[in-house]
Amino acid sequence: MACGFRRSIASQLSKVLDLPPENLIKSISAVPISKKEEVADFQLSVNSLLENNSDQLRTDIQDQARRLAEKLKCDTVVSEISTGEGTVNFKINRELLTKTVLQKVIEDGPKYGLKSELFFGFPHKKIVVEFSSPNIAKKFHVGHLRSTIIGNFIANLKAALGHQVTRINYLGDWGMQFGLLGTGFQLFGYEEKLQSNPLQHLFDVYVQVNKEAADDKNVAQSAHEFFKRLELGDVQALSLWRKFRDLSIEEYIQIYKRLGVHFDEYSGESFYHEKSQEVLKLLDSKGLLQKTIKGTAVVDLSGKGDPSSICTVMRSDGTSLYATRDLAAAIDRMDKYNFDTMIYVTDKGQRKHFQQVFQMLKLMGYDWAERCQHVPFGVVQGMKTRRGDVTFLEDVLNEIRLRMLQNMASIKTTKELENPQETAERVGLAALIIQDFRGLLLSDYQFSWDRVFQSRGDTGVFLQYTHARLHSLEETFGCGYLNEFNTTCLQEPQSVSILQHLLRFDEVLYRSSQDCQPKHIASYLLTLSHLSAMAHKTLQIKGSPPEVAGARLHLFRAVRSVLANGMKLLGITPVSRM
């Protein structure tokens, strides 16, 4: 695998440069494949060395690369050394490359790329990931889809790297809206409708009571009083609220099951409405709490009265706010999990909120606030069903499944599927995830139904199709070939390109682990699928001599294995047939 070759190159470089091999490993990168020409397998950027040795002049990088290359020698691992623009390039012995990569892929299985030296010395950490976080008593809106799939990806990757990951769903289950909902249910609610279709009924009630509250001050006042009763622990109000919460979670769990997402803890703002009073006392004891003329309590984070740096932490009636409850939740999680990192996955509109929360934690004396991280993401525009309604995720998932079934209906193999509905859902979900993960998380993007269902190009449908096709190859030709293979049978340009790309998987995982961006893995898998499709046309198995067929089957098996590994990290369940 890549790390073995890197170490070999680093060992030789360390003798010439008089630097420990460990210092050089991350400076040696696998070279991206090129459609135009055959490229080297690894390169060393001379610039990266000069950053560590500021006393050396950078006047002629090219000359320094040439002089360094002249001091190095080919050996049993490296067959060719050349220079590029400020780089020293290394070509690995082709038969060794073939044997090592394919053996490693099969031996390491789901751990391929994760055992790389790029990750050596990284301590295993306790990581908390808070994601999804829908508001209870409302149907699961598509606006929460991004947080759900991004948070799931981050948790999957961190867990795969050996960290102890706790997945928290921090529900929006407290606040003034429950005063409105409680009052609304008392006015317009029906127990039978609540039991038969809970979230739809609560949504209808909420819309109706909002209209009433806008026109009738008495309704608005009743809502305030209901929430005050909740905060004070009124048994009747809490009983109704708890019913809303339990029915909501039951329905959400069904949605998460369809998405292939699970949580270790269902938490919520309600857990912290009492503890938020302790937070207010602590802020006050630190001299951070200020009362306003309106009777609210604020924290001035600038210390100079800058309005943009003032965070409200208590209403005039003494009830808590979102920020106060987030402070209480962070403190509680540190006590409970003693985390090394806590990651919040929400839309970019909450950036200022989290900056203020982290800043207040520091001012309260919690140094571990630096371990808290916000991963923001952009907005999806245009995700509506054909009816053009307010879009609930369940409707989107149903529509995707229906359209995928229609698309698959004309394909013969669809009739052989044991569960066409499940396959359609998995392919459709892959389409959704890849469309979302192709760009930077922070970017807004325009959702396109047409693009989602394309079976060619950079789509999730194409990834699933490639995986199913490779699985079919193994089924058709059996596993008899796969025990041994002849490396000399895999020296065609198409084979070498695939091997070089497989070599890069650990670097892609490393990049995503550093910046939490799934686009690196998504892009890598799409390129791997395109390489596989091209190779499938020219590297025939049927009709080839057994030795050649066996070697090619081994190569395609390795592609399918890495493809499946990467898809699972992204939250996609690979299909074997479609």
Side-chain angles (χ1 to χ4, degrees):
M1 203 179 89
C3 63
F5 296 135
R6 273 198 205 92
R7 175 159 287 284
S8 180
I9 294 166
S11 295
Q12 193 180 162
L13 282 165
S14 71
K15 293 168 189 169
V16 173
L17 297 168
D18 197 25
L19 288 168
E22 286 70 25
N23 292 19
L24 296 164
I25 282 172
K26 285 178 186 169
S27 299
I28 301 163
S29 57
V31 180
I33 55 159
S34 166
K35 290 179 182 177
K36 297 175 186 175
E37 57 187 356
E38 187 182 343
V39 293
D41 303 305
F42 290 96
Q43 64 182 22
L44 172 80
S45 167
V46 176
N47 241 339
S48 68
L49 297 179
L50 297 180
E51 284 167 8
N52 300 328
N53 297 273
S54 53
D55 55 320
Q56 291 188 31
L57 294 172
R58 304 187 189 196
T59 48
D60 192 351
I61 299 292
Q62 198 61 40
D63 186 51
Q64 293 197 44
R66 184 184 53 75
R67 279 189 281 135
L68 177 57
E70 286 171 357
K71 293 176 186 174
L72 301 168
K73 293 177 182 176
C74 294
D75 53 23
T76 53
V77 175
V78 177
S79 62
E80 193 178 301
I81 299 169
S82 59
T83 57
E85 291 185 16
T87 62
V88 179
N89 304 327
F90 303 88
K91 184 177 177 180
I92 302 299
N93 175 305
R94 283 290 166 256
E95 287 190 30
L96 183 65
L97 174 77
T98 308
K99 186 178 181 182
T100 308
V101 170
L102 296 186
Q103 277 185 351
K104 269 290 180 186
V105 171
I106 304 308
E107 281 173 18
D108 290 351
K111 289 287 183 186
Y112 178 73
L114 297 163
K115 293 182 175 182
S116 166
E117 282 195 3
L118 294 176
F119 298 110
F120 280 11
F122 275 48
H124 288 169
K125 295 180 177 181
K126 293 175 185 172
I127 297 175
V128 171
V129 186
E130 181 202 293
F131 64 104
S132 192
S133 307
N135 298 312
I136 68 157
K138 292 182 182 178
K139 285 181 81 70
F140 200 119
H141 193 270
V142 289
H144 292 284
L145 175 65
R146 285 207 89 184
S147 175
T148 306
I149 61 176
I150 293 164
N152 188 49
F153 157 71
I154 292 170
N156 287 346
L157 182 59
K158 299 294 184 187
L161 289 165
H163 301 298
Q164 185 182 323
V165 177
T166 303
R167 301 158 184 254
I168 295 180
N169 196 343
Y170 185 64
L171 300 168
D173 64 355
W174 205 251
M176 200 54 232
Q177 69 268 34
F178 294 101
L180 273 168
L181 193 61
T183 298
F185 192 77
Q186 288 170 340
L187 292 171
F188 315 114
Y190 292 94
E191 190 61 36
E192 311 84 63
K193 288 185 179 180
L194 184 66
Q195 293 303 326
S196 63
N197 193 351
L199 296 194
Q200 186 61 54
H201 183 50
L202 290 175
F203 176 72
D204 294 340
V205 166
Y206 190 70
V207 170
Q208 196 171 351
V209 76
N210 260 304
K211 285 178 185 173
E212 294 288 330
D215 299 331
D216 188 341
K217 285 184 180 177
N218 290 330
V219 174
Q221 183 60 35
S222 295
H224 272 282
E225 287 168 6
F226 190 95
F227 182 55
K228 184 74 174 172
R229 283 166 57 203
L230 271 179
E231 288 252 305
L232 292 171
D234 178 83
V235 175
Q236 203 176 1
L238 278 173
S239 174
L240 188 59
W241 165 84
R242 199 170 285 115
K243 186 187 287 184
F244 295 163
R245 189 179 194 275
D246 292 346
L247 288 167
S248 300
I249 291 174
E250 277 177 36
E251 199 159 316
Y252 292 157
I253 285 171
Q254 295 311 307
I255 294 284
Y256 291 129
K257 199 173 177 183
R258 291 180 72 176
L259 292 171
V261 173
H262 73 276
F263 293 93
D264 300 301
E265 181 183 306
Y266 279 88
S267 177
E269 294 179 65
S270 61
F271 286 60
Y272 301 106
H273 73 93
E274 287 179 13
K275 289 184 179 178
S276 63
Q277 297 304 315
E278 295 168 26
V279 167
L280 291 171
K281 286 176 188 172
L282 185 57
L283 285 167
D284 198 22
S285 70
K286 297 273 182 183
L288 297 167
L289 208 59
Q290 298 175 15
K291 284 283 180 74
T292 67
I293 301 167
K294 294 177 182 177
T296 59
V298 300
V299 175
D300 177 9
L301 294 166
S302 68
K304 300 170 187 173
D306 177 1
S308 66
S309 296
I310 287 175
C311 182
T312 306
V313 290
M314 188 185 77
R315 288 191 182 89
S316 57
D317 62 1
T319 55
S320 62
L321 283 156
Y322 184 50
T324 335
R325 296 190 286 272
D326 261 359
L327 289 169
I331 295 163
D332 181 60
R333 288 172 194 170
M334 190 63 196
D335 290 342
K336 189 174 180 181
Y337 297 111
N338 190 28
F339 57 78
D340 298 296
T341 306
M342 179 156 63
I343 299 168
Y344 296 85
V345 184
T346 74
D347 69 85
K348 60 186 178 184
Q350 293 196 51
R351 271 202 286 198
K352 185 180 178 182
H353 165 76
F354 283 107
Q355 284 168 0
Q356 290 187 331
V357 167
F358 300 160
Q359 204 175 337
M360 278 191 281
L361 286 168
K362 279 185 190 174
L363 290 171
M364 291 165 78
Y366 296 116
D367 294 340
W368 49 260
E370 292 177 359
R371 304 182 203 174
C372 298
Q373 177 188 353
H374 179 217
V375 175
F377 55 82
V379 179
V380 186
Q381 293 145 343
M383 190 184 272
K384 290 186 176 178
T385 58
R386 274 185 278 210
R387 295 193 308 276
D389 304 337
V390 171
T391 316
F392 299 121
L393 183 58
E394 188 178 17
D395 298 331
V396 171
L397 293 179
N398 290 343
E399 185 150 346
I400 277 186
R401 183 171 61 194
L402 179 66
R403 290 205 201 184
M404 279 311 310
L405 278 168
Q406 289 169 349
N407 287 7
M408 289 158 58
S410 59
I411 303 169
K412 282 189 296 181
T413 53
T414 306
K415 295 167 189 171
E416 300 167 18
L417 295 174
E418 286 179 19
N419 191 337
Q421 295 254 352
E422 184 181 84
T423 300
E425 181 130 311
R426 287 177 176 176
V427 175
L429 192 55
L432 262 186
I433 289 173
I434 291 300
Q435 181 166 215
D436 196 287
F437 285 178
R438 281 183 59 206
L440 287 167
L441 294 182
L442 210 48
S443 304
D444 298 339
Y445 76 89
Q446 189 70 34
F447 179 80
S448 163
W449 282 107
D450 291 337
R451 198 163 60 237
V452 159
F453 293 109
Q454 284 174 1
S455 59
R456 288 285 176 267
D458 291 343
T459 67
V461 179
F462 179 54
L463 276 191
Q464 289 283 32
Y465 173 74
T466 304
H467 183 272
R469 194 180 191 187
L470 293 169
H471 189 272
S472 175
L473 263 185
E474 287 178 47
E475 277 194 328
T476 304
F477 295 101
C479 294
Y481 287 130
L482 298 178
N483 296 329
E484 293 293 330
F485 66 97
N486 187 339
T487 55
T488 58
C489 296
L490 291 174
Q491 300 308 312
E492 309 90 345
Q494 296 92 333
S495 299
V496 172
S497 289
I498 287 174
L499 291 162
Q500 287 179 311
H501 196 60
L502 293 174
L503 200 60
R504 293 185 61 235
F505 191 49
D506 62 344
E507 283 186 14
V508 173
L509 295 176
Y510 180 78
R511 282 187 74 188
S512 284
S513 75
Q514 294 299 292
D515 63 11
C516 292
Q517 294 286 339
K519 72 178 285 254
H520 311 306
I521 297 173
S523 174
Y524 174 90
L525 297 178
L526 289 163
T527 300
L528 184 60
S529 295
H530 287 299
L531 289 171
S532 173
M534 287 189 286
H536 197 270
K537 291 174 185 173
T538 52
L539 304 179
Q540 299 292 325
I541 292 174
K542 190 177 180 179
S544 296
E547 199 173 39
V548 174
R552 288 174 178 175
L553 196 57
H554 214 101
L555 179 70
F556 286 125
R557 184 194 185 194
V559 171
R560 187 190 62 76
S561 177
V562 173
L563 195 58
N565 294 348
M567 288 164 78
K568 287 171 189 172
L569 287 175
L570 295 179
I572 297 168
T573 303
V575 298
S576 300
R577 297 178 183 208
M578 62 179 282

